[in-house]
């Protein structure tokens, strides 16, 4: 009866039931009418600490085992994420599942996962795999606002929250909850009092240099740990009688780790954070409890060490079990308390008719383009989850800082409002990359490449892409990509290219001469994008070629003009170009020209290459194959070099037909810090293929087999490979690569 009265009073006053029950006197185990004095209000204060914050899950698990109730939750940064979800009604099992099943490499990556990118953005990866990008504007060069994008982080936070709590103000949750952030302009503490839960968690987690700042009530805010990483004073203001404070902040690094600018910068942040933590700890009273888990070996961004962090939180809490036991409730009382805290199971997310779809955008992007690209339109029937996934797919454009989606259900219909904020630096992007290749002998190559992309040049989303490179191959190219309507998958792309290089001429696998080669071309392409996973295009090209012998040197040279057309079909769903572990890649092209004015015969060429990647636990790899043929002369592909008959000289195997296949497998042996790169793998390849000529009968010597062993690292500068290869009954050599190798 008392509980019903409390709930009725709470409803009358507009208070959440959990908050009212937390303040109600606890019933005793005695007979009817027996009661005890009101128990003290317990506040759980969770500090920030990045990946070390997963220790909070271990703390919550043990508090549950000990039946210690939590009436108030206050958190900063990762403490805000764990604490906010807990206060909203997530179970400890929900929190642990989030921690273990979230792809944290994606969350802290500098952009959405590659398989979520628009196809044109994936195409840029193939052209220049480096992820070193800048904004290039009239006032100079600007850096991206953070190392990581927003998309994967916000998707992970959204999955963590119980249904219906994402947009609920934090003062209306099952448990009273507060979080803090830091004003990036003034340095003041920002008390996130009545902001929506999702925005509160996102703002407090905006770690400078890792995640982009967030605007809350016209204030640009970042991680609250800079000003209050353990906000004990805030818990006191909320009426806490006893505080359980959990400090997982990163300790100061020893001198030996301060030899780099990055190390010094991180130490400066740690000093500021540690100073305000120590001030907060001094505010604890004799009845309060401080839990400081031993997280040795787990760093701020060590998201691959989740188990150790959770176990550290458990061990530290169990060590204080005698003190915490005084706060415990009887089994029945705690079960009732926990039942009221947990979120009500969500109602079925039923599809409803979209009565309205409204899209707003900042910057230069036409909102009509975003609406078409989202795939949402008035009259469709969609669930709330489908709406959010469609809106979040816009992050794949690569030029949006935030995508906010409001969904309003009324009268059996659904109204959708999407607000997209353009990342200002992205409408004029400059990507820089370096490619190196060496067999530690005569085959050495280098290239410095730049790519500039100017986007949203007109209401239909026209885009200008300029590429240039110097090194063994020199070139410059300009392409204008024009969709045939706002958000249309159809496009035209006029293109102009100039390039020059030198290459060796081989006969029976032996170098015969070297020639210099130059090319000028203009083309016009009509194409259609196939979702974000592929495209098909038809093009006509006018080309001018120049060739002259340089070894042995000869005077003069030859030049030829030709026109040809081509049809090309591509699929690209790979998760990585450095070392793909899932997805597929296909590139098939048919090119041909008619008879020349001088009567030369028609020429046709066909090539197809495909890759299918796979992963199982710590092993990953791919199966790759290619085939190329020409009606006369050499096929458009050649073999030789690392992973293309390893041990043979690059491009030394050519003929009228090319057939090749390989199996590559590698085991994960480590990883770079997520801000620098990705997985480190050690692996091997089995390769087979050769060149064949229909006019010449060739023996088994035309078919070659090869093997290689390598170490690969996926870095922000591109994939790095160090390895050695051997062609059976042929040569062998070592290799060093920075850049694409297939």
């Amino acid at each position: 009866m008392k509980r019903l009265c409390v709930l009725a009073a709470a409803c009358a006053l507009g208070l959440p039931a959990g908050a009212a029950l937390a303040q109600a006197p606890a019933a005793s185990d005695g007979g009817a009418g027996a009661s005890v004095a009101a128990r003290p209000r317990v506040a759980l204060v969770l500090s920030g600490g990045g990946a070390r914050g997963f220790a909070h899950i271990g703390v919550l698990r043990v508090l549950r085992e000990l039946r210690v109730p939590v009436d108030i939750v206050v958190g900063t940064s990762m403490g805000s994420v764990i604490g906010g979800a807990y206060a909203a009604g997530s179970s400890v099992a929900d929190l642990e599942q989030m921690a273990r099943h979230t792809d944290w490499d994606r969350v802290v990556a500098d952009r959405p996962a590659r398989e979520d990118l628009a196809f044109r953005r994936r195409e840029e990866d193939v052209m220049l795999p480096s992820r070193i990008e800048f904004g290039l504007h009239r006032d100079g060069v600007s850096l991206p606002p953070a190392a990581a994008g927003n998309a994967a982080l916000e998707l992970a936070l959204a999955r963590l929250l119980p249904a219906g709590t994402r947009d609920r103000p934090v003062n209306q949750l099952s448990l009273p909850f507060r979080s803090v952030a830091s004003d990036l302009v003034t340095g003041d503490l920002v008390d996130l009092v009545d902001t929506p839960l999702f925005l509160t968690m996102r703002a407090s987690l905006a770690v400078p240099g890792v995640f982009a700042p967030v605007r809350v009530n016209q204030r640009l805010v970042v991680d609250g740990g800079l000003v209050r990483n353990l906000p004990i004073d805030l818990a006191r203001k909320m009426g806490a009688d006893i505080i359980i404070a959990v400090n997982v902040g990163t300790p100061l690094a020893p001198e030996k780790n301060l030899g780099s600018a990055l190390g010094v910068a991180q130490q400066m942040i740690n000093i500021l954070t540690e100073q305000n933590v120590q001030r907060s700890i001094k505010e604890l009273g004799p009845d309060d409890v401080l839990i400081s888990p031993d997280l040795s070996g787990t760093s701020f961004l060590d998201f691959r060490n989740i188990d150790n962090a959770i176990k550290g939180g458990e061990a530290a809490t169990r060590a204080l079990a005698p003190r915490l036991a005084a706060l415990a409730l009887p089994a029945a009382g705690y079960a009732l308390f926990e039942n009221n805290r947990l979120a009500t199971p969500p109602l079925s997310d039923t599809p409803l008719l979209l009565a309205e779809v409204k899209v707003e955008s900042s910057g230069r992007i036409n909102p009509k383009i975003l609406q078409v690209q989202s795939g949402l339109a008035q009259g469709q029937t969609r669930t709330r989850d489908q709406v959010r996934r469609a809106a979040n797919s816009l992050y794949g454009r690569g030029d949006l800082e935030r995508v906010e989606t409001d969904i309003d259900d009324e009268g059996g219909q659904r109204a959708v409002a999407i607000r997209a904020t353009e990342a200002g630096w992205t409408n004029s992007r400059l990507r820089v990359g370096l490619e190196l290749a060496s067999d530690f002998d005569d085959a050495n190559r280098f290239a410095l490449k730049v790519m500039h992309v100017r986007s949203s040049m007109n209401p239909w989303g026209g885009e200008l892409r300029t590429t240039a490179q110097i090194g063994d191959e020199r070139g410059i190219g300009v392409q204008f990509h024009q969709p045939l309507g706002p958000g249309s998958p159809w496009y035209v792309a006029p293109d102009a290219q100039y390039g020059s290089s030198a290459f060796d001429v081989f006969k029976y696998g032996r170098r015969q001469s070297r020639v210099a080669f130059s090319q000028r071309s203009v083309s016009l392409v009509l194409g259609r994008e196939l979702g974000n996973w592929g495209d098909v295009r038809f093009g006509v090209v006018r080309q001018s070629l120049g060739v002259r012998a340089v070894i042995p040197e000869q005077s003069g040279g030859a030049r030829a003009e030709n026109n040809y057309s081509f049809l090309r079909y591509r699929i690209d769903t790979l998760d990585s170009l450095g070392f793909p572990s899932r997805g597929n890649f296909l590139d098939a092209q048919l090119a041909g020209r008619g008879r020349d004015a001088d009567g030369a015969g028609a020429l046709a060429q066909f090539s197809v290459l495909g890759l299918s990647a796979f992963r199982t636990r710590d092993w990953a790899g791919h199966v790759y194959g290619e085939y190329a043929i020409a009606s006369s002369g050499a096929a458009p592909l050649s073999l030789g070099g690392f992973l293309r008959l390893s041990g043979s000289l690059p491009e030394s195997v050519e003929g009228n037909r090319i057939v090749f296949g390989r199996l590559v497998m590698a085991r994960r042996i480590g990883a770079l810090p997520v801000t620098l790169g990705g997985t480190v793998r050690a692996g091997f390849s089995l390769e087979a293929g050769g060149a064949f000529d229909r006019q010449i009968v060739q023996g088994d010597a035309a078919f070659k087999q090869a093997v290689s062993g390598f170490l690969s690292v996926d870095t922000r500068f591109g994939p790095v490979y160090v390895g050695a290869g051997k062609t059976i009954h042929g040569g062998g050599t070592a290799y060093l690569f920075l850049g694409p190798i297939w």
Side-chain angles (χ1 to χ4, degrees):
M1 178 64 70
K2 181 177 290 186
R3 179 174 179 271
L4 293 176
C5 293
V6 171
L7 290 173
C11 294
L13 294 173
L15 296 174
L21 286 169
Q23 301 178 62
S28 74
D29 282 342
S35 63
V36 297
R39 64 175 179 81
R41 300 189 74 198
V42 178
L44 182 65
V45 180
L46 306 177
S47 81
R52 296 164 63 90
F54 291 126
H56 297 319
I57 299 175
V59 172
L60 288 168
R61 178 187 290 169
V62 176
L63 291 179
R64 184 176 184 275
E65 292 174 2
L66 297 175
R67 302 196 306 273
V68 175
V70 173
D71 304 298
I72 299 169
V73 183
V74 180
T76 298
S77 195
M78 184 60 82
S80 174
V81 172
I82 303 297
Y86 185 80
S90 292
S91 68
V92 175
D94 292 335
L95 297 173
E96 186 169 354
Q97 184 177 20
M98 176 277 298
R100 297 185 188 280
H101 294 173
T102 297
D103 189 340
W104 292 101
D105 286 347
R106 288 191 182 190
V107 171
V108 298
D110 55 335
R111 64 178 189 179
R114 188 172 185 273
E115 57 263 45
D116 295 334
L117 293 176
F119 185 78
R120 190 160 173 82
R121 302 288 81 84
R122 303 186 200 189
E123 185 182 44
E124 292 174 4
D125 285 351
V126 177
M127 298 172 66
L128 207 171
S130 166
R131 299 199 301 274
I132 307 300
E133 287 191 314
F134 309 91
L136 186 63
H137 302 276
R138 292 180 180 178
D139 55 353
V141 176
S142 62
L143 294 172
N150 290 328
L153 169 64
E154 297 189 355
L155 288 174
L157 294 181
R159 287 194 297 267
L160 171 63
L161 297 177
T165 62
R166 173 191 172 105
D167 300 319
R168 185 177 298 172
V170 295
N171 55 3
Q172 297 180 19
L173 300 179
S174 298
L175 294 180
F177 171 70
R178 293 279 275 280
S179 180
V180 297
S182 307
D183 190 311
L184 190 58
V185 177
T186 66
D188 295 337
L189 181 145
V190 179
D191 185 358
L192 302 171
V193 180
D194 56 0
T195 52
L197 176 60
F198 180 85
L199 183 60
T200 298
M201 295 163 59
R202 176 65 183 86
S204 189
L205 194 60
V207 182
V210 179
F211 297 117
V214 177
R215 193 168 295 280
V216 179
N217 297 329
Q218 308 306 316
R219 303 177 74 172
L220 194 64
V221 302
V222 294
D223 189 341
L226 297 177
V227 291
R228 197 81 86 253
N229 201 44
L230 193 65
I232 291 170
D233 57 337
L234 191 57
R236 294 282 189 216
K237 292 178 182 177
M238 295 175 69
D241 299 311
I242 293 180
I243 289 176
I244 301 174
V246 186
N247 178 28
V248 296
T250 305
L252 299 182
E255 184 176 349
K256 65 179 182 179
N257 294 344
L258 304 179
S260 67
L262 183 63
V264 172
Q266 182 62 51
Q267 184 81 332
M268 292 173 63
I269 295 176
N270 291 345
I271 289 173
L272 292 174
T273 303
E274 185 63 19
Q275 285 178 343
N276 74 62
V277 166
Q278 292 304 318
R279 287 195 298 268
S280 296
I281 289 176
K282 292 178 181 178
E283 299 172 8
L284 293 173
D287 295 329
D288 298 326
V289 179
L290 175 63
I291 302 175
S292 298
D294 181 2
L295 300 175
S296 302
T298 302
S299 65
F300 182 83
L301 292 175
D302 190 4
F303 289 99
R304 302 180 180 96
N305 212 3
I306 293 172
D307 280 339
N308 285 351
I310 294 177
K311 290 177 181 177
E314 290 179 351
T317 310
R318 286 200 173 95
L320 294 169
R323 291 191 61 190
L324 294 169
L327 303 174
L329 289 178
Y334 184 80
L336 177 62
F337 183 90
E338 184 72 354
N339 183 65
N340 282 282
R341 182 192 68 80
L342 293 173
T344 303
L347 298 175
S348 176
D349 185 10
T350 57
L352 294 178
L353 182 72
L354 300 186
E356 180 183 24
V357 177
K358 182 180 179 181
V359 180
E360 300 175 356
S361 71
S362 66
R364 304 160 59 96
I365 304 173
N366 183 354
K368 179 63 176 176
I369 295 176
L370 299 179
Q371 180 173 341
V372 173
Q373 291 178 340
S374 74
L376 297 174
Q378 185 176 346
Q380 294 176 334
T381 301
R382 295 289 185 270
T383 65
R384 296 174 70 90
D385 182 63
Q386 288 173 331
V387 169
R388 292 200 184 277
R389 282 192 282 114
N392 288 331
S393 70
L394 296 174
Y395 277 119
R397 292 172 46 93
D399 57 359
L400 295 177
E401 181 178 305
R402 286 185 64 81
V403 177
E404 299 172 275
T405 307
D406 293 331
I407 304 174
D408 185 20
D409 297 345
E410 187 174 352
Q413 294 184 331
R414 185 160 282 156
V416 177
I418 300 174
R419 296 185 300 278
T421 303
E422 182 182 17
W425 71 277
T426 59
N427 59 41
S428 179
R429 294 182 290 113
L430 180 68
R431 182 182 292 198
V432 181
L434 178 67
E435 296 181 7
L436 300 172
S438 175
D439 66 356
F440 300 98
D441 194 1
D442 187 54
N444 300 283
R445 303 197 318 269
F446 88 96
L448 176 63
K449 294 185 174 183
V450 296
M451 176 190 300
H452 179 260
V453 178
R454 179 71 172 176
S455 60
S456 300
M457 297 185 66
N458 56 45
W460 286 5
E463 184 175 280
L464 182 68
R465 182 164 67 194
T466 304
T467 58
Q469 72 176 71
I470 58 172
D472 295 279
E473 297 182 9
R474 286 78 59 194
I476 187 169
V478 179
Q479 181 195 75
F480 184 71
H481 179 274
Q482 178 60 63
L484 299 180
S488 172
W490 290 95
Y491 63 89
V492 294
D495 182 283
Q497 303 281 336
Y498 170 79
S500 65
S501 63
F503 62 90
D504 295 331
V505 179
F506 292 85
K507 186 175 183 180
Y508 304 119
R510 296 182 179 274
R511 185 181 292 109
Q512 302 294 309
S513 61
R514 177 168 292 181
V515 299
F517 172 82
S518 64
Q519 170 184 301
R520 295 192 297 269
S521 68
V522 293
S523 65
L524 179 63
V525 169
L526 171 65
R528 190 183 194 282
E529 292 184 350
L530 307 173
N532 69 341
W533 53 267
D535 84 343
V536 60
R537 56 176 58 183
F538 172 78
V540 293
V541 182
R542 180 170 179 80
Q543 188 178 64
S544 175
L545 305 175
V547 180
R548 63 183 178 87
V550 292
I551 300 178
E553 186 174 2
Q554 298 179 9
S555 60
R559 180 161 291 278
E561 306 281 341
N562 65 69
N563 303 319
Y564 68 90
S565 58
F566 69 88
L567 180 65
R568 189 178 186 186
Y569 176 66
R570 295 180 295 172
I571 296 173
D572 183 357
T573 61
L574 297 180
D575 62 336
S576 167
L577 287 181
F579 193 96
S581 61
R582 59 177 176 266
N584 300 284
F585 186 91
L586 177 71
D587 191 343
Q589 181 166 290
L590 174 65
R593 63 176 173 83
R595 292 182 177 274
D596 293 336
D598 59 5
L603 173 66
Q605 294 181 333
F606 173 74
S607 65
V608 59
L609 58 89
L611 180 151
S612 182
F614 57 87
R615 178 174 59 189
T616 171
R617 294 196 175 184
D618 287 339
W619 285 88
H622 66 256
V623 177
Y624 174 90
E626 64 183 52
Y627 176 78
I629 188 171
S631 60
S632 64
L637 299 175
S638 61
L639 299 175
F642 183 50
L643 298 186
R644 298 183 59 76
L645 293 181
S646 300
S648 301
L649 291 172
E651 301 179 349
S652 63
V653 181
E654 59 181 8
N656 181 250
R657 286 180 296 156
I658 293 291
V659 179
F660 176 72
R662 71 167 177 254
L663 169 67
V664 174
M665 292 192 68
R667 189 177 192 276
R668 181 184 182 276
I669 59 173
L672 294 179
V674 290
T675 53
L676 298 179
T679 303
V680 180
R681 297 184 183 274
F684 65 89
S685 70
L686 304 176
E687 311 158 33
F692 306 89
D693 196 314
R694 289 175 297 181
Q695 282 74 43
I696 300 176
V697 178
Q698 298 183 355
D700 293 338
F703 188 80
K704 302 178 182 293
Q705 301 172 63
V707 296
S708 76
F710 60 82
L711 187 72
S712 77
V713 185
D714 191 9
T715 76
R716 290 176 61 84
F717 301 95
V720 176
Y721 279 78
V722 179
K726 167 73 175 176
T727 297
I728 310 302
H729 306 302
T733 187
Y735 293 100
L736 170 65
F737 274 88
L738 169 60
I741 50 84
W742 56 269

